[in-house]
Amino acid sequence: MRRIGRRDIVAAILIALIAGAVFTSPPLQALQGLSLDILTALRGKLISDRRDPATSPVVVVAIDGETYDTPPFKGSPTQTWTREIGRVLGSITDGGAKVIGFDVIFPSSIEQSEIPFGDAPLGTRMKGFDRDYLIALRQLSDNGKLVLGEILSNDHPDRPYRAQQLAVRTNIRALNVHTDADDVIRRMPLSFSIDGKPVPAMAVELAARALGGKPEIAPSGATELSGYAIPSAVPNTLTLNFRGLGGDVPTFSFADLRACVEKDDHEFFRRAFDGKVVLLGTILNFEDRKLTSMRLSGGHDGAPAARCALPGPARTAKARSDVAGVFVHAAVVRNLIERDAVTELGFPLRTILTIVFAAVIACAACMLAPSGALIAWFALTAVYAAVAVGAFVHALALPLTEPALASLAALAMMIGYRFVLADRDERFLRKSFAFYLAPEVINTMVASGKMPALGGESRNVTMFFSDLSGFSSIAETMTPGELVTLMNEYLSAMTDIIEGHGGYVDKYIGDSIVAMFGAPADDPAHARNAVHAALKCHEKLADLNANNPAFAGHGLSHRIGLNSGEAVVGNIGSRRRFNYTVMSDTVNVASRLEGANKYYGTAIMASETTMAQTGGTFAWRELDAIRVMGRGEAIKVFEPLADKGAESTEQTKVAAAYADGLACWRTREFARAAEAFDGVAKIDPASALFARRAKALAANPPSPEWTPVNTLEGK
């Protein structure tokens, strides 16, 4: 995971602000409506939030295809249906309906027909045809049980004909709908200004009469109905909540109800309409179809209600992208009565939520690789969508498309920012080190956030020097091809171990390897890793000698020197050509320790500083105090035996005897020292060396100025 700095945080905030502002701006306001559509669809698919139609406070009486195909309506113009409509309305009212609303408009009467019929117009001959219908309208209107509909328009208003207006007096309300820019109905107007006064819309009027109240404007500016503050994201509108996708509104065919009147089944009307708000409207495949927020999920033209007199048609209700307009008004009535209108967040909260979500994704894109950031976007968007659907179950509409698209844009912008600006240094370093640094070391270096300063910097490192013993004489016996094969096998095996422990191979010098631990990647455990690598290299060479055909018969051995301390690391060289390398006295001492192994017959020699930095990880034996060529100060040197607790019995025995002999040596007890070293001299070259030196000094004691420091003359 990539570390982020202050500049990255500022960039993420700016990107989130830009993305959030763009995707919640007025030109993209259609996204708010799309959120409602998606939430409606997801709730319908995932929650299946359907209710029993019998519990619906509103029902629909449908002038449907069945009505048009059933006598006496079949083949008859709708103007001739008024008598039957009046009879059905009377039975519905007698059944206990609270109020009836018309979502159909009869703009003319057959009594107004001027079509010639004999020696007089048809309308003259039909005088009095609508009498019973108009009387029924007057009676229902006077009892507050009827509201007719009209379409308000400056250009083409649509109102009931004059006689109906006189019959119902002021009981006429607007059926106009509120459509968004994409011609989808997601909200409905609450009132209209007529002659300078607010007049409730049809559905609001019906709900108010059913509840026995009147809509009022609260001090907050919200419209209230019977104590319910109607939520309005867009002023003077109600956001529709199609909780049952239209399939929870009982729908009666007008043809069946007319037959029920003929059957004189008063009990059916009581069971069907008692305490209900009734809407009379058309349900046809070609007339008054509306696109709503159910357009993605598919809506239903109500739920088929119980039949009274006629057999039900053999049809399967299928969800459609559009629904009959009467169900839009039915949804408003139900939302108001049940206090279930959708609450949308206002522009400020919607923008803040979008920006916050975009900022989260931008930060993820800043820390993760592009593929990981995309997965994070998918996961977080899915989680957020689940939360939004859960909130929508409770009629709270959180923005969905705006945060999703804004965060996706923020993701793309943050990736672009990283490519163009933030990751330039990382790409440069990866390219610079690609051919001479292990990929895992490069990754560690980048992840650590501590990059080497180009041109050189001081680091505490552990240097690793190795060299094959007597290789020149072995090389003389081999062909060039055999020599190359042998060296490639050896160097590859050793390099894999070094890099596997976080080391960096600085260079190869013939059969020698120069490596360092602790740079370029910052590694607090560089000394420990270097010692581990040295032990593993020694084991690997023994394995190669035993099992690799290229090593057969050569019996290769190597010497390794380790030293820890401050060193200058960086890109060093000419202006046109440079290498990442290291320079300091720490490097020189490690080189001398590698060579010092041949005096003691050891394979690995480490300085006291390296031993001290490893803590209690390894079992050690102190070899000697030496003064190497080119350095006046004496240093103590040690040999790592194995991991702590993993040393063999023989190693433990040799180390104990060697420690006793070294202690006697340093106190000038040379005879006792020789005796201690002699005990293990046959199995330990270093002990054999000290045994000879101790015997020589026992025979010829040194001067009082003698110090137990071995000065090495060669490299």
Side-chain angles (χ1 to χ4, degrees), residues 638-660:
F638 297 79
E639 178 189 19
L641 303 177
D643 287 338
K644 190 74 171 180
E647 62 270 28
S648 66
T649 303
E650 183 178 285
Q651 286 176 320
T652 303
K653 175 184 175 183
V654 170
Y658 194 91
D660 290 342

Side-chain angles (χ1 to χ4, degrees), residues 404-425:
L405 294 178
S407 60
L408 186 60
L411 171 66
M413 286 189 284
M414 180 55 74
I415 292 174
Y417 157 78
R418 285 182 56 181
F419 181 81
V420 175
L421 296 175
D423 292 347
R424 284 184 304 179
D425 293 342

